[in-house]
Structures are given as C-alpha cells and as structure tokens.
Amino acid sequence: MERRYFQTSVGKISFLERKGENPVIFLHGLGGTGNSWIKLQGYLDEKLGLYFLDLLGHGRSSKPEIEYAISVQETALSDFISGMGFEKFSLVGNSYGGWISLRFAVDFSQPEKIVLEDSAGINRTFGELNAEERDFLVERILLSNRMNEGHVIRSIVANNADPKWKLKEYELRSLKCKSLILWGEKDPVIPKENGLRLKELIPNSIYIEIKGQGHVPHVNSPEQVGKIINDFLIS
C-alpha cells in the first residue's frame, strides 16, 4: 500500500491507499492509527479500494492545538471524501472510528455500506469516568503509541463526554445503508450489549459476534474478520 497525504480544512490527513473500483474508508479507534488495519488487506477483494486513515490528531496526521470534538473528525472525513472524488463509498470503523462513522452517516452523507466493529457512540465514555479512572486510561493510551500526544487524547476524552455527540435512537433508526455490526465476545471496553442494542436500533442490520475476541478483533483475528467484512462489502 502507498502512503499518501490529503490537506483538509482542519489539518493534513495521512492515509494508506490501495486503489480499487469501490472505495472503502477504514477509521481506527482512539489512540490508534490506520496501520492497525493492514493485516486485513490480503482478505479483501481487489475490487475494493482501501483507504486506511490516520484520524486527525493521530499517527502521521496533523495534530493541531484545537478542540477535538467529533464534528472536527466529521469535517476532515467529509473533506477527504469530496476531495478524493468519491461519489459512492463504504465506511468501516472500530470503536471511536465507528462513532465517527455513525455520526457522519447521520450528519453528512450515508455510505453505501457501514461496518461497525466494537463501535462507540451509545456507550459510557472515558470522559464520564471519575477523574482517577479517566487519567489512568488516558496515560495508558499515551503509552500505547509513541505518536500519541497528550493534548489530543485529553481533548478527545473531554469532548466525547458531551452527550450531544452520542447517537440518539431516532438517528440510528433513520439509517438506510446496509449495516454490519461486529463485536468481540469478550470486549472489556465496550461490552457486547452495546452491539446488540445497535442491532436493535439500526434497521435491517446484521450482528456477528467474534468468539473469544476483545475490543479490536481485526488485530487479533484478521483472517476471520477480514473474510466477514469482505463478504459483506462485495455482496
């Protein structure tokens, strides 16, 4: 895959690209990078154009001194999609990336298909924990990747605690795109009950549980997850 950069109105986005007829944009979780999806590429049909983004404030993307609300990530994603000339596209999001994908589908434009892997968006956020628990988790995220910066992670955690960014029932019921919900059976971060609730609220959605897996099944079980995503995207 080739690393490229795209200048959005809120900062430069770094991404890995494998060109194909049908663009699929992958969004990682909080504190991660687009590289986390690399193991999937061998299980995804060559007709699929793959775009593994580093979200704003992550990886090799810009880390401006701004308030990192969900709306900022939506703007960067919208600029990227329009700038790349994608008229039709699909979204795949893990955790924080799934939350951004859902908000984008509600606030901007619904993708053809959406894959939500252990997605945030309706769960209790880190920012809603007590100060000691919150600070401990922030430090763990900062230590997990040398490219993470404190002002970014702390801003995201603080802003995510604002209930206005969470998906409302009526918003989820309004989704008309084909939706696949993947969940690690043993996810300790966002328990599977959240995935089952999304299945209940998103019309005609499919729910698949990944046995024995935690919060990032695509990292620890790439073959299984890759084949499931591929079958969904090319069907």
Side-chain angles (χ1 to χ4, degrees), residues 69-122:
I70 290 284
S71 57
V72 173
Q73 303 287 6
E74 289 183 87
T75 297
L77 181 57
S78 178
D79 289 352
F80 177 79
I81 289 169
S82 60
M84 296 293 287
F86 299 154
E87 295 182 3
K88 295 181 179 180
F89 60 93
S90 295
L91 293 175
V92 179
N94 169 253
S95 193
Y96 179 56
W99 189 355
I100 295 165
S101 299
L102 280 169
R103 281 256 54 104
F104 184 87
V106 169
D107 299 334
F108 282 79
S109 174
Q110 292 201 21
E112 285 195 294
K113 297 182 179 181
I114 189 169
V115 178
L116 304 168
E117 184 197 44
D118 298 71
S119 179
I122 62 172

Coordinates of all heavy atoms in Angstrom, one line a residue, residues 69-122:
A69 N -13.5 17.7 19.0 CA -14.9 17.2 19.0 C -15.1 16.3 17.9 O -14.4 16.3 16.9 CB -15.9 18.4 19.0
I70 N -16.1 15.4 18.0 CA -16.5 14.5 16.9 C -16.7 15.3 15.6 O -16.4 14.8 14.5 CB -17.8 13.7 17.3 CG1 -17.5 12.7 18.4 CG2 -18.3 13.0 16.1 CD1 -16.7 11.5 18.0
S71 N -17.3 16.5 15.7 CA -17.6 17.3 14.5 C -16.3 17.6 13.7 O -16.4 17.7 12.5 CB -18.3 18.6 14.9 OG -17.5 19.3 15.8
V72 N -15.2 17.8 14.4 CA -13.9 18.1 13.7 C -13.5 16.9 12.8 O -13.1 17.0 11.7 CB -12.8 18.4 14.7 CG1 -11.5 18.6 13.9 CG2 -13.2 19.7 15.4
Q73 N -13.6 15.7 13.4 CA -13.3 14.5 12.6 C -14.3 14.3 11.5 O -13.9 13.8 10.4 CB -13.3 13.2 13.5 CG -12.4 13.3 14.7 CD -10.9 13.2 14.4 OE1 -10.5 13.1 13.2 NE2 -10.1 13.1 15.4
E74 N -15.5 14.6 11.7 CA -16.5 14.5 10.6 C -16.1 15.5 9.4 O -16.3 15.1 8.2 CB -17.9 14.9 11.1 CG -18.6 13.9 12.0 CD -20.0 14.4 12.4 OE1 -20.9 14.1 11.6 OE2 -20.1 15.0 13.4
T75 N -15.7 16.7 9.8 CA -15.3 17.6 8.8 C -14.1 17.1 8.0 O -14.1 17.2 6.7 CB -15.0 19.0 9.4 OG1 -16.2 19.5 10.0 CG2 -14.5 20.0 8.4
A76 N -13.1 16.6 8.7 CA -12.0 16.0 8.0 C -12.4 14.9 7.0 O -11.9 14.8 5.9 CB -10.9 15.6 9.0
L77 N -13.2 14.0 7.5 CA -13.7 12.9 6.7 C -14.5 13.4 5.5 O -14.3 12.9 4.4 CB -14.6 12.0 7.5 CG -15.1 10.7 6.8 CD1 -14.0 9.9 6.2 CD2 -15.9 9.9 7.8
S78 N -15.3 14.4 5.7 CA -16.1 15.0 4.6 C -15.2 15.6 3.5 O -15.4 15.4 2.3 CB -17.1 16.0 5.1 OG -17.8 16.6 4.0
D79 N -14.2 16.4 4.0 CA -13.3 17.0 3.0 C -12.5 15.9 2.3 O -12.3 16.1 1.1 CB -12.3 17.9 3.8 CG -12.9 19.1 4.4 OD1 -14.0 19.4 4.1 OD2 -12.2 19.8 5.2
F80 N -12.1 14.9 2.9 CA -11.4 13.8 2.3 C -12.2 13.1 1.2 O -11.8 12.9 0.1 CB -10.9 12.7 3.3 CG -10.2 11.5 2.8 CD1 -8.9 11.6 2.4 CD2 -10.9 10.3 2.6 CE1 -8.2 10.5 1.9 CE2 -10.2 9.2 2.1 CZ -8.9 9.3 1.7
I81 N -13.4 12.8 1.6 CA -14.3 12.1 0.6 C -14.6 12.9 -0.6 O -14.5 12.5 -1.8 CB -15.6 11.7 1.3 CG1 -15.4 10.5 2.3 CG2 -16.7 11.2 0.3 CD1 -16.5 10.2 3.2
S82 N -14.9 14.2 -0.4 CA -15.2 15.1 -1.6 C -13.9 15.4 -2.3 O -13.9 15.4 -3.6 CB -15.8 16.4 -1.1 OG -15.0 17.1 -0.2
G83 N -12.8 15.6 -1.7 CA -11.5 15.9 -2.3 C -11.0 14.7 -3.2 O -10.4 14.9 -4.2
M84 N -11.3 13.5 -2.7 CA -10.9 12.3 -3.4 C -11.9 11.9 -4.6 O -11.6 11.1 -5.4 CB -10.8 11.1 -2.5 CG -9.7 11.2 -1.4 SD -8.0 11.2 -2.1 CE -7.8 9.5 -2.5
G85 N -13.0 12.7 -4.6 CA -13.9 12.5 -5.7 C -14.8 11.2 -5.5 O -15.3 10.7 -6.5
F86 N -15.0 10.7 -4.3 CA -15.8 9.5 -4.1 C -17.3 9.9 -4.1 O -17.8 10.6 -3.2 CB -15.4 8.9 -2.7 CG -14.0 8.4 -2.6 CD1 -13.4 8.3 -1.3 CD2 -13.3 8.1 -3.7 CE1 -12.1 7.9 -1.2 CE2 -11.9 7.7 -3.5 CZ -11.4 7.6 -2.3
E87 N -18.0 9.4 -5.1 CA -19.4 9.6 -5.2 C -20.1 8.5 -4.3 O -21.2 8.8 -3.7 CB -19.9 9.6 -6.6 CG -19.4 10.8 -7.4 CD -19.9 10.8 -8.8 OE1 -20.7 9.9 -9.2 OE2 -19.5 11.6 -9.6
K88 N -19.6 7.4 -4.3 CA -20.1 6.3 -3.5 C -18.9 5.7 -2.7 O -17.8 5.6 -3.2 CB -20.7 5.2 -4.4 CG -22.0 5.6 -5.1 CD -22.6 4.5 -6.0 CE -23.8 4.9 -6.7 NZ -24.4 3.8 -7.5
F89 N -19.2 5.3 -1.5 CA -18.1 4.8 -0.6 C -18.8 4.0 0.5 O -20.0 4.0 0.8 CB -17.3 6.0 0.0 CG -18.2 6.9 0.8 CD1 -18.3 6.7 2.2 CD2 -18.9 7.9 0.2 CE1 -19.1 7.6 2.9 CE2 -19.7 8.8 0.9 CZ -19.8 8.6 2.3
S90 N -17.9 3.2 1.2 CA -18.3 2.5 2.4 C -17.4 2.9 3.5 O -16.3 3.3 3.3 CB -18.3 1.0 2.2 OG -19.2 0.6 1.2
L91 N -17.9 2.7 4.8 CA -17.1 3.1 5.9 C -17.0 1.8 6.8 O -17.9 1.1 7.0 CB -17.8 4.2 6.7 CG -17.9 5.6 6.1 CD1 -18.7 6.5 7.0 CD2 -16.5 6.1 5.9
V92 N -15.8 1.7 7.4 CA -15.5 0.6 8.4 C -14.9 1.3 9.6 O -13.8 2.0 9.4 CB -14.5 -0.4 7.9 CG1 -14.3 -1.5 8.9 CG2 -15.1 -1.1 6.6
G93 N -15.5 1.2 10.7 CA -14.9 1.9 11.9 C -14.9 1.0 13.1 O -15.8 0.3 13.4
N94 N -13.8 1.1 13.9 CA -13.6 0.4 15.1 C -13.7 1.4 16.3 O -13.0 2.5 16.2 CB -12.2 -0.3 15.2 CG -11.9 -0.8 16.6 OD1 -11.0 -0.3 17.2 ND2 -12.6 -1.8 17.0
S95 N -14.5 1.2 17.3 CA -14.5 2.0 18.5 C -14.8 3.5 18.2 O -15.9 3.8 17.7 CB -13.2 1.8 19.3 OG -13.4 2.3 20.6
Y96 N -13.9 4.4 18.5 CA -14.0 5.8 18.2 C -14.2 6.0 16.7 O -15.0 6.9 16.3 CB -12.7 6.5 18.7 CG -12.6 8.0 18.4 CD1 -13.6 8.9 18.9 CD2 -11.5 8.5 17.8 CE1 -13.5 10.2 18.7 CE2 -11.4 9.9 17.6 CZ -12.4 10.7 18.1 OH -12.3 12.1 17.9
G97 N -13.6 5.2 15.9 CA -13.8 5.3 14.4 C -15.2 4.9 14.0 O -15.8 5.4 13.0
G98 N -15.8 4.0 14.7 CA -17.2 3.6 14.5 C -18.1 4.7 14.8 O -19.1 5.0 14.1
W99 N -17.8 5.4 16.0 CA -18.6 6.5 16.4 C -18.6 7.6 15.3 O -19.6 8.2 15.0 CB -18.1 7.0 17.7 CG -18.9 8.0 18.5 CD1 -20.0 8.7 18.0 CD2 -18.6 8.5 19.8 NE1 -20.5 9.5 19.0 CE2 -19.7 9.5 20.1 CE3 -17.7 8.3 20.7 CZ2 -19.7 10.2 21.3 CZ3 -17.7 9.0 21.9 CH2 -18.7 9.9 22.2
I100 N -17.4 7.9 14.8 CA -17.3 9.0 13.8 C -18.1 8.5 12.6 O -18.8 9.3 11.9 CB -15.8 9.2 13.5 CG1 -15.1 9.8 14.7 CG2 -15.7 10.1 12.2 CD1 -13.6 9.7 14.6
S101 N -18.0 7.2 12.2 CA -18.7 6.7 11.0 C -20.2 6.9 11.2 O -20.9 7.3 10.2 CB -18.4 5.3 10.8 OG -17.0 5.1 10.6
L102 N -20.7 6.6 12.4 CA -22.2 6.7 12.6 C -22.6 8.2 12.6 O -23.6 8.5 11.9 CB -22.5 6.1 14.0 CG -22.6 4.6 14.0 CD1 -22.7 4.1 15.5 CD2 -23.9 4.2 13.2
R103 N -21.8 9.0 13.2 CA -22.2 10.5 13.2 C -22.2 11.0 11.8 O -23.0 11.8 11.4 CB -21.3 11.3 14.2 CG -21.6 11.2 15.6 CD -22.3 12.4 16.2 NE -23.5 12.8 15.4 CZ -24.8 12.6 15.9 NH1 -25.0 12.0 17.0 NH2 -25.8 13.0 15.1
F104 N -21.1 10.6 11.1 CA -21.0 11.1 9.7 C -22.2 10.7 8.9 O -22.8 11.4 8.1 CB -19.7 10.6 9.0 CG -19.5 11.1 7.7 CD1 -18.8 12.3 7.5 CD2 -19.9 10.4 6.5 CE1 -18.6 12.8 6.2 CE2 -19.7 10.9 5.3 CZ -19.0 12.1 5.1
A105 N -22.6 9.4 9.0 CA -23.8 8.9 8.3 C -25.1 9.6 8.6 O -25.9 9.8 7.8 CB -24.0 7.4 8.6
V106 N -25.2 10.1 9.9 CA -26.3 10.9 10.3 C -26.2 12.3 9.9 O -27.2 12.9 9.4 CB -26.5 10.8 11.8 CG1 -27.6 11.7 12.3 CG2 -26.9 9.3 12.2
D107 N -25.1 12.9 10.1 CA -24.9 14.4 9.9 C -24.5 14.8 8.5 O -24.8 16.0 8.1 CB -23.9 14.9 10.9 CG -24.2 14.7 12.3 OD1 -25.4 14.6 12.6 OD2 -23.3 14.6 13.1
F108 N -23.8 14.0 7.7 CA -23.3 14.4 6.4 C -23.9 13.6 5.3 O -24.8 14.0 4.6 CB -21.8 14.3 6.4 CG -21.1 15.4 7.1 CD1 -21.0 15.4 8.5 CD2 -20.5 16.4 6.4 CE1 -20.3 16.4 9.1 CE2 -19.9 17.5 7.0 CZ -19.7 17.5 8.4
S109 N -23.5 12.3 5.1 CA -23.9 11.5 4.0 C -23.8 10.1 4.4 O -22.8 9.6 4.9 CB -23.0 11.8 2.8 OG -23.3 11.0 1.7
Q110 N -24.9 9.3 4.0 CA -24.9 7.9 4.4 C -24.0 7.1 3.3 O -24.2 7.3 2.1 CB -26.3 7.3 4.4 CG -27.1 7.9 5.5 CD -28.3 7.0 5.9 OE1 -28.4 5.8 5.6 NE2 -29.3 7.6 6.5
P111 N -23.2 6.3 3.8 CA -22.4 5.5 2.9 C -23.3 4.4 2.3 O -24.4 4.1 2.7 CB -21.3 4.8 3.8 CG -22.0 4.8 5.1 CD -22.9 6.0 5.2
E112 N -22.7 3.7 1.3 CA -23.4 2.6 0.7 C -23.6 1.5 1.8 O -24.6 0.9 1.9 CB -22.7 2.0 -0.5 CG -22.9 2.8 -1.8 CD -22.4 2.1 -3.0 OE1 -21.2 1.8 -3.1 OE2 -23.3 1.8 -3.9
K113 N -22.4 1.2 2.4 CA -22.4 0.2 3.5 C -21.6 0.7 4.6 O -20.7 1.5 4.4 CB -21.8 -1.1 3.0 CG -22.7 -1.8 1.9 CD -22.1 -3.1 1.4 CE -23.0 -3.7 0.3 NZ -22.4 -5.0 -0.2
I114 N -21.9 0.2 5.8 CA -21.1 0.6 7.0 C -20.9 -0.6 7.9 O -21.8 -1.4 8.1 CB -21.9 1.7 7.8 CG1 -21.0 2.3 8.9 CG2 -23.2 1.2 8.4 CD1 -21.7 3.6 9.5
V115 N -19.6 -0.7 8.3 CA -19.2 -1.8 9.2 C -18.8 -1.2 10.5 O -17.9 -0.3 10.6 CB -18.1 -2.6 8.7 CG1 -17.6 -3.7 9.6 CG2 -18.4 -3.2 7.3
L116 N -19.5 -1.6 11.6 CA -19.2 -1.1 13.0 C -18.6 -2.2 13.8 O -19.3 -3.1 14.2 CB -20.5 -0.6 13.6 CG -21.3 0.5 12.7 CD1 -22.7 0.7 13.3 CD2 -20.5 1.8 12.7
E117 N -17.3 -2.0 14.1 CA -16.6 -3.0 14.9 C -16.4 -2.5 16.3 O -15.7 -1.5 16.5 CB -15.3 -3.4 14.3 CG -14.6 -4.5 15.0 CD -13.1 -4.6 14.7 OE1 -12.4 -3.5 14.6 OE2 -12.6 -5.7 14.4
D118 N -17.1 -3.1 17.3 CA -17.0 -2.7 18.7 C -17.1 -1.2 18.8 O -16.2 -0.5 19.4 CB -15.7 -3.2 19.3 CG -15.6 -4.7 19.3 OD1 -15.5 -5.4 18.2 OD2 -15.7 -5.3 20.4
S119 N -18.1 -0.7 18.2 CA -18.3 0.8 18.0 C -18.7 1.5 19.2 O -19.6 1.1 20.0 CB -19.3 1.0 16.9 OG -19.5 2.4 16.7
A120 N -18.1 2.7 19.4 CA -18.6 3.6 20.4 C -19.7 4.4 19.8 O -20.1 4.2 18.7 CB -17.4 4.6 20.8
G121 N -20.3 5.3 20.6 CA -21.4 6.1 20.1 C -22.7 6.1 21.0 O -23.4 7.1 21.0
I122 N -22.9 5.0 21.7 CA -24.0 5.0 22.7 C -23.6 4.6 24.1 O -24.4 4.6 25.0 CB -25.1 4.0 22.2 CG1 -24.6 2.6 22.1 CG2 -25.7 4.5 20.8 CD1 -25.8 1.6 21.8

